[in-house]
Amino acid sequence: MNRSVPNGSASEVGSFFSALSEIIMRIVTVRRISQVFFLALFLWFCVATSFGIEWWQLRGWPVSWFLHLDPLVALSTLLTTGSLYRDLLWALVTLVLTVLLGRFFCSWVCPFGSLHHFVGYLGKRGKPFSSRVALNRYHRAQSIKYHILVVLLSAAAGALIAHQVREAVRPSIPLVALLAVTIGLAWSAAGRASERNGKTFIFLSAFIGIWALIASFVALDRMIAASLQTGLLDPIALVYRSINLVVLPLADSTMQRISVSQRYYEGAWLIGAVFLAALLLNLKVPRFYCRFVCPLGALYGILGRYALWRIGKKDGDCPQCALCEADCEGGCEPGGTMRLNECVLCMNCRDDCRHDIITYSSRPSAGGEITLPDLSRRGLVLSMASGIAAVPLLRLGGGLGANWNPSMIRPPGSLSEADFLSRCIKCGQCMRVCPTNIIHPAGLESGLEGLWTPILNFRLGTSGCQLNCIACSQVCPTAAIRPITLDEKKGIKDFAASGPVRLGMAFVDHGRCLPWAMDKPCIVCQENCPVSPKAIFVREVFNTVRSGVGVVAGSDGFTVELREPSLKPGRFGTGDYYLAISGGPGGNGDMRALIVSNSDRSLTLASGRPLEFLPSPGTQARIQVRLQRPQVDPERCIGCGVCEHECPVTGKRAIRVTAENESRSRKRSLLL
Amino acid sequence: MDAKSRKSETCVGIVILMTLAGIAFWVYLKQLLYDPAVFMPVLHPEERAFPEASGTLDASWFQSYLPEGFNPLSSVEAFGPENLSEKIDGKAELYLSAGFVKLVSRRFVKSGQSDSWFEVYVYDMGNTRNAFSVYSSQRRADGEDVDFTRFAYHSRNALFFVHGREYVEVVASSESLIEEMLALGRNFVAGKRTETGEVNEIALFPKEALEEGSITLLSSDVFGYQELNNVFIAHYLLGGKRFTLFLSARKDPREADSLAASYRQFLLENGGKNQVAENRIPGLKIVEILDSYEFIFAHRHFLAGVHEADDIAMAEELAVMLYETLAEVTQ
Amino acid sequence: MSDSSHDSGFTRRDFIIRSTKAGAIIAASGLLSYWLHDSKGPKAISDSGESAILLPDFSMPAMGRKMSIVAGDDRVRTVNLALKALGGIETFIRGGDRVLIKVNAAFATPAIVSATTNPQLLAELIRLCYHAGASSVAVTDNPINDPESCFALTGIGEAARTAGARLFLPRESFFRATTVPGAAYIVNWPLLYEPFQGINKLIGVAPVKDHHRSGASMVMKNWYGLLGGRRNIFHQDIHNLIKELAIMVKPTFVILDGTTTMMTNGPTGGSLSDLKQTNLMIAATDQVAADAFGATLLGRSIHDLPFIAKAEAAGAGTADYEQIRPERVGI
């Protein structure tokens, strides 16, 4: 790339390009187009994650594509499950491009990054040049994100390491390979330190070795388990979650274009607060999240270590004007010693350089370059150890065992809890797509580990889990909710033997249920049960109402007069009340007749069904209410929650679904 | 920036923009391709899902028997004894008392003619006899016999037939679909192999003067008498008058005898008077009730007779014919 | 590039090395992705990594199906005679064998109520095993009540220790998931597996007891104590479960102690009035035959105990025990 004038043979082509460059001009323009394009595409996907086949609805839109492209999702689920689920293969595209080009994703694709970019631009507008340069200086704290990455990945890999060693007697090749990759990753992360000190690798190997040794003697894999927590800070999962659960519901609340009714998400404030904080921090330091927090950026930084092309200074007289650093997005100091792993390829430096010194080429920067993060050996080991140790600590509460929380009802098709937690990245796609808005981000119900994982809330939302809907299982990018078909959900055809997918079971709270606790007729839950035959059935009982005992003064068979005028007029004419009189002539026993109306002392009976015998004056008369008390058939109930949603006891419902009997866990079944 | 690097920058820019266009195009194509099975219409809480019986249904149900140019109009529905009334309301009792097992039904529409459709009901009645019972007891008076199977007829807009243990109704939205329905019936009978059970009693009715297609099996509560069940009746036209013969196979001669006696007793209790009978039929009893005559006799394990005959002499002729047929067959 | 490379010390060689490393990362991740790619997604219920184990077959087919019944109230004497009648313990236990004895220690009740395996019988059995040359003998059960108290209060723990057997009290880590082929219930279910590590002979020792749910608890029901998890759920279909247990466990031989039979209020009993001296000791290679004979002690026929016929149908043994011509001693 010298400054020689183009020769004659290329001049025609050159004129064509100069014509085009009139339009395109600068690479930063292309970058902005790309950012707007991907941000728009992302927002469109968020809108289109509405269940249905209209052009603006789910149909075939690859709504989780950005998650598929995310190599952190791919890598961390690979560590926890030993497999790469379906569309996560897309991450390979990002990975290959990153290895070749560097952190292009951050400045060209990442929708969260684009938001930061824009807010950061607002923040630094009008600031003096010198303070802008100062803001974009490299800060030591930028290495925090690598620690975050290591903690999250070790938490995901703990089980693998422990398990791997126990399996060492009969090793399977993919597992060995996975272990090799884990160690390799740790090694390359520690690479900088290892350049400085050759012992680091030995130290790390020894650490893993000791860990493995302990694992082979003590059954550590009982406690050391995989926990996927990358989704907490993974920018793609975070931005999906924030837009879908916070921004869209708020934006749509006035227009109600995207959904017919207001969408609610329990605990959305926390997600919104994190999102807002991440955005506002850009006003302090541009791309605050990207520089200090983002574990995906950290992963890209490591992966781009051998990038074939990189930003740097070429030989020549650099006047150290610092123009290149005024708009530097990554804080990578292109004007000085280039920090390759921090560079987000925003290309601003190249655009701003008036001396044409900054290039994107295969040569390392003339100013020297640092290709690896600023990590100390001690810090790295500490992060790894705390990541691995955090999982057993989180699980010490026994939430995955005997102390499991039955109020955590997972969406239909969810894997058993341990497997679920090793796949769920908390992206909120299932919560967004659910047509009845019953899937919500969990708070701390299942412990810190389950934060923002999907759970069902039948009070919020517009109904229960719909019989003919499998939307959540279709959008889940990692198969934490595995893809099920309608046949499987309903347990028909090929799935007749395994029965329908049960989310849990409804329990009637006898202390709150109107017919059970208060002698008030109500069969709303039974009427609304969508299962066929109905899982809720009723048992009929007749109960004498409070102060409903009187003495007969006289009767003509169609009306009965009582001695005391103690009745509230009209109260017993609803069709639910009966007059019961016992001890008829000839041992006729009890008789019961429907009351159609009443005054304060007389009861009118249904004319079609008068009394079988005339009660003599002085006979005791009881006013009884006919109750149909609901009962749940555990063999039929699928835990869809429609009954809970419809229950007229609107606070704490009188019929509630809990996760007992859910089909994803044999241990929680109530029946054989 | 020099010309060369500007040129390469432009070049890269164009490649990137083309990639973006490519991605946009890919996304466009992708949204077109989706599996409609994922998107069954979401039901509102007010609407109830169609009840489905356990498991054996699939989307192609009955489609292979359809004549050319028909497509499903609704999904397959299935009902068991517990929810049959959700489909056919009060008529469910008729089927239930006759041993109903399962109903599967579905609507089909002629392509391009949205008002030309029919609904197929296939009632699994457990056995041919039960199927015949619901078939015969509902037989429409204006029905025309159809030849493709033994018990089949059609009315102006509907087709009814028994095939094996199944009773099939095809009810069309218009009268123009008879040919297609008959084709469908033929396909069903030809295409669905089944064991055809016999209904023996039909052959025991004398052929002479028998009204075509009038033999009916009544399951329960026959002639208002609770104990009388499983009775075949047949109509006869004799001398311009209509007679009803009845015949019921009982467990054994004793039961036939006692039922004959108790039925007679039932009639007497309800205002009937004894009539003297000639003894052309052993054990024949005649009861006069409400200006008509009831002939009752038992032969071997059969209970038989004539129901509500206006003309005592002709009725006796028919009773004798029936007795002789029975005597012949049961020898 | 090459013309300016020497300026910064950057050489073509450096670039090639870097490209090679990048290429290696790409190739490795590509290969790994291809290798571990999962296009289908996970199964409904996974076994969380650990592969299910299968209990080995401990039976000795060469011994044939044999049974002996010895009368007497002294268990030490009768068990010796019973084993002698089977051909002597030496034919089953040989030098170097590692033996596991599955006792019934289900309840923390005293030995005298006979709800559990008799300690003297156990001690004698352990002695016999060592005498026959066994290199190790272990005793285990996963009781209903707290294991520590069960083994202590029944005297089984003491008997095992003094006789020199190793005691395996259940611990969570001792269980591994097992699936009985063709089973409906024991599917991916936790099995007390640790005591079986390295074992090559298995003996079941159980008393004869009434059982509220299954009718009787004898040899086959005793294998229930090898299951972990929430096994009480199986009481909903206990007979089929016992059948699956009989398929799962193929012992070398079994001892059914009918010296004292719990006639009523089983399986815990609690009162001596529940017991009856029946004074019989049964040894058998056929667990179904042993249980079928045991049923007679309870005054029950095999028709009262469906699990016996089910186990026979599953090929676990012979319900008609006379068929295998039991050796009777002192009767």
Side-chain angles (χ1 to χ4, degrees), chain A residues 87-98:
Chain A
D87 295 330
L88 295 182
L89 213 50
W90 274 106
L92 199 58
V93 174
T94 326
L95 182 137
V96 168
L97 287 175
T98 305

Side-chain angles (χ1 to χ4, degrees), chain B residues 102-122:
Chain B
K102 192 172 94 177
L103 163 65
V104 182
S105 72
R106 189 175 204 181
R107 281 181 279 271
F108 298 96
V109 65
K110 195 168 185 174
S111 37
Q113 300 179 34
S114 58
D115 56 353
S116 290
W117 58 269
F118 51 69
E119 181 159 17
V120 179
Y121 301 78
V122 178

Side-chain angles (χ1 to χ4, degrees), chain C residues 46 54 110 145 159 187 191 196 244 268 278 289:
Chain C
S46 76
L54 210 60
N145 301 153
V187 176
L191 169 79
F196 284 94
E244 290 181 7
T268 49
T278 41

Side-chain angles (χ1 to χ4, degrees), chain A residues 92-397:
Chain A
L92 199 58
V93 174
T94 326
L95 182 137
V96 168
L97 287 175
T98 305
V99 169
L100 297 177
L101 306 174
R103 288 173 66 175
F104 78 101
F105 190 89
C106 305
S107 274
W108 291 73
V109 180
C110 181
F112 203 30
S114 302
L115 291 175
H116 292 309
H117 200 135
F118 181 66
V119 179
Y121 161 75
L122 295 180
K124 71 187 178 192
R125 228 167 29 143
K127 282 194 181 158
F129 177 77
S130 60
S131 67
R132 279 164 63 187
V133 171
L135 273 181
N136 290 332
R137 284 262 149 73
Y138 174 76
H139 191 285
R140 276 201 53 189
Q142 280 176 245
S143 66
I144 290 175
K145 61 176 176 290
Y146 297 96
H147 288 283
I148 292 175
L149 176 72
V150 171
V151 168
L152 293 177
L153 286 183
S154 343
L160 184 73
I161 298 170
H163 182 70
Q164 174 59 39
V165 178
R166 283 175 72 84
E167 291 294 302
V169 232
R170 42 187 180 114
S172 67
I173 296 164
L175 281 170
V176 172
L178 264 179
L179 182 67
V181 168
T182 315
I183 294 173
L185 206 79
W187 184 24
S188 73
R192 187 194 150 100
S194 80
E195 277 162 15
R196 218 165 38 204
N197 186 340
K199 284 181 194 158
T200 301
F201 178 62
I202 299 165
F203 192 87
L204 263 175
S205 309
F207 173 75
I208 294 169
I210 290 167
W211 185 255
L213 208 63
I214 296 168
S216 60
F217 285 111
V218 186
L220 273 180
D221 50 342
R222 237 157 250 295
M223 280 313 283
I224 304 289
S227 182
L228 189 61
Q229 296 301 322
T230 50
L232 284 176
L233 293 173
D234 184 322
I236 304 298
L238 193 153
V239 72
Y240 263 103
R241 187 168 63 222
S242 308
I243 299 291
N244 281 337
L245 307 190
V246 180
V247 179
L248 267 188
L250 290 177
D252 195 39
S253 65
T254 48
M255 295 178 289
Q256 306 281 299
R257 288 276 169 78
I258 303 173
S259 54
V260 287
S261 56
Q262 175 65 48
R263 306 279 294 192
Y264 292 98
Y265 292 102
E266 203 181 354
W269 68 270
L270 183 60
I271 294 168
V274 169
F275 183 63
L276 197 63
L279 287 187
L280 291 181
L281 280 168
N282 289 304
L283 300 177
K284 181 136 181 65
V285 180
R287 283 205 183 238
F288 181 94
Y289 192 88
C290 312
R291 290 185 195 177
F292 301 110
V293 185
C294 184
L296 179 59
L299 181 63
Y300 286 139
I302 295 166
L303 284 174
R305 182 183 174 191
Y306 303 116
L308 302 192
W309 291 276
R310 56 231 355 231
I311 292 287
K313 286 200 287 190
K314 62 184 175 188
D315 299 330
D317 294 330
C318 174
Q320 299 293 340
C321 66
L323 270 176
C324 54
E325 292 181 6
D327 292 318
C328 176
E329 289 288 311
C332 53
E333 300 189 338
T337 306
M338 177 68 191
R339 289 182 178 268
L340 205 58
N341 52 305
E342 298 297 327
C343 172
V344 292
L345 292 181
C346 66
M347 299 289 171
N348 283 343
C349 50
R350 183 171 148 80
D351 197 54
D352 288 342
C353 181
R354 304 215 181 116
H355 311 279
D356 202 14
I357 280 177
I358 304 278
T359 63
Y360 181 58
S361 75
S362 55
R363 284 179 307 171
S365 175
E369 60 182 22
I370 296 167
T371 57
L372 275 170
D374 190 11
L375 285 180
S376 75
R377 182 177 61 189
R378 195 181 300 167
L380 184 70
V381 172
L382 200 66
S383 302
M384 273 189 82
S386 52
I388 294 172
V391 185
L393 189 67
L394 289 173
R395 295 194 175 174
L396 212 52

Side-chain angles (χ1 to χ4, degrees), chain C residues 53-280:
Chain C
I53 50 98
L54 210 60
L55 214 53
D57 183 350
F58 298 102
S59 67
M60 300 172 78
M63 294 291 144
R65 293 185 168 181
K66 285 182 186 168
M67 180 156 106
S68 61
I69 306 161
V70 179
D73 58 359
D74 177 2
R75 291 185 173 90
V76 173
R77 190 182 70 88
T78 52
V79 76
N80 273 288
L81 287 173
L83 286 172
K84 197 163 285 168
L86 276 195
I89 185 138
E90 298 78 13
T91 56
F92 296 102
I93 310 294
R94 299 189 183 127
D97 274 355
R98 293 167 306 280
V99 184
L100 178 67
I101 301 177
K102 165 67 177 77
V103 293
N104 184 336
F107 305 100
T109 50
I112 190 167
V113 304
S114 277
T116 49
T117 296
N118 182 281
Q120 280 104 43
L121 172 62
L122 175 66
E124 179 62 11
L125 205 55
I126 295 167
R127 194 191 65 78
L128 283 171
C129 288
Y130 279 125
H131 191 251
S135 65
S136 75
V137 179
V139 172
T140 197
D141 192 17
N142 180 25
I144 312 286
N145 301 153
D146 161 56
E148 297 279 353
S149 352
C150 283
F151 278 96
L153 298 176
T154 55
I156 291 174
E158 179 64 19
R161 259 188 299 273
T162 44
R166 182 172 174 199
L167 206 56
F168 278 98
L169 266 60
R171 270 196 243 162
E172 202 195 329
S173 57
F174 286 2
F175 289 87
R176 298 275 301 273
T178 189
T179 295
V180 173
Y185 300 140
I186 308 179
V187 176
N188 202 4
W189 198 268
L191 169 79
L192 182 54
Y193 187 67
E194 189 66 21
F196 284 94
Q197 302 271 24
I199 291 299
N200 65 346
K201 294 287 159 65
L202 172 67
I203 305 171
V205 196
V208 184
K209 296 196 290 176
D210 169 55
H211 192 276
H212 181 69
R213 202 72 194 100
S214 63
S217 170
M218 295 175 286
V219 167
M220 291 193 278
K221 171 69 175 62
N222 186 35
W223 305 129
Y224 183 79
L226 292 176
L227 299 179
R230 287 186 46 229
R231 54 187 173 170
N232 56 1
I233 201 166
F234 291 135
H235 275 153
Q236 292 171 32
D237 187 3
I238 191 74
H239 292 291
N240 280 314
L241 178 83
I242 297 176
K243 175 195 76 182
E244 290 181 7
L245 288 170
I247 302 170
M248 177 176 85
V249 189
K250 299 182 187 72
T252 314
F253 65 87
V254 295
I255 304 285
L256 182 61
D257 179 7
T259 313
T260 308
T261 296
M262 184 187 291
M263 303 298 289
T264 51
N265 295 321
T268 49
S271 162
L272 296 182
S273 54
D274 292 326
L275 307 179
K276 181 183 166 191
Q277 282 304 119
T278 41
N279 291 343
L280 290 171

Side-chain angles (χ1 to χ4, degrees), chain A residues 315-510:
Chain A
D315 299 330
D317 294 330
C318 174
Q320 299 293 340
C321 66
L323 270 176
C324 54
E325 292 181 6
D327 292 318
C328 176
E329 289 288 311
C332 53
E333 300 189 338
T337 306
M338 177 68 191
R339 289 182 178 268
L340 205 58
N341 52 305
E342 298 297 327
C343 172
V344 292
L345 292 181
C346 66
M347 299 289 171
N348 283 343
C349 50
R350 183 171 148 80
D351 197 54
D352 288 342
C353 181
R354 304 215 181 116
H355 311 279
D356 202 14
I357 280 177
I358 304 278
T359 63
Y360 181 58
S361 75
S362 55
R363 284 179 307 171
S365 175
E369 60 182 22
I370 296 167
T371 57
L372 275 170
D374 190 11
L375 285 180
S376 75
R377 182 177 61 189
R378 195 181 300 167
L380 184 70
V381 172
L382 200 66
S383 302
M384 273 189 82
S386 52
I388 294 172
V391 185
L393 189 67
L394 289 173
R395 295 194 175 174
L396 212 52
L400 279 178
N403 195 25
W404 64 283
N405 183 349
S407 66
M408 301 253 314
I409 302 154
R410 297 287 189 197
S414 295
L415 303 180
S416 67
E417 190 63 14
D419 291 341
F420 184 88
L421 289 176
S422 68
R423 281 181 186 263
C424 178
I425 53 164
K426 312 159 193 273
C427 64
Q429 288 289 77
C430 50
M431 310 172 200
R432 167 71 186 92
V433 80
C434 178
T436 47
N437 191 200
I438 52 171
I439 311 183
H440 292 262
L444 299 176
E445 294 95 327
S446 65
L448 201 55
E449 211 183 341
L451 182 68
W452 296 334
T453 55
I455 56 170
L456 269 50
N457 180 328
F458 298 120
R459 287 178 66 200
L460 275 169
T462 56
S463 181
C465 178
Q466 298 298 295
L467 217 51
N468 284 313
C469 174
I470 45 169
C472 50
S473 82
Q474 298 296 314
V475 297
C476 181
T478 59
I481 310 172
R482 71 199 163 79
I484 55 173
T485 60
L486 276 174
D487 288 349
E488 183 172 4
K489 187 173 182 200
K490 297 177 176 177
I492 55 173
K493 292 180 219 167
D494 296 349
F495 300 93
S498 49
V501 171
R502 298 184 306 271
L503 308 178
M505 202 182 112
F507 289 80
V508 180
D509 187 337
H510 289 191

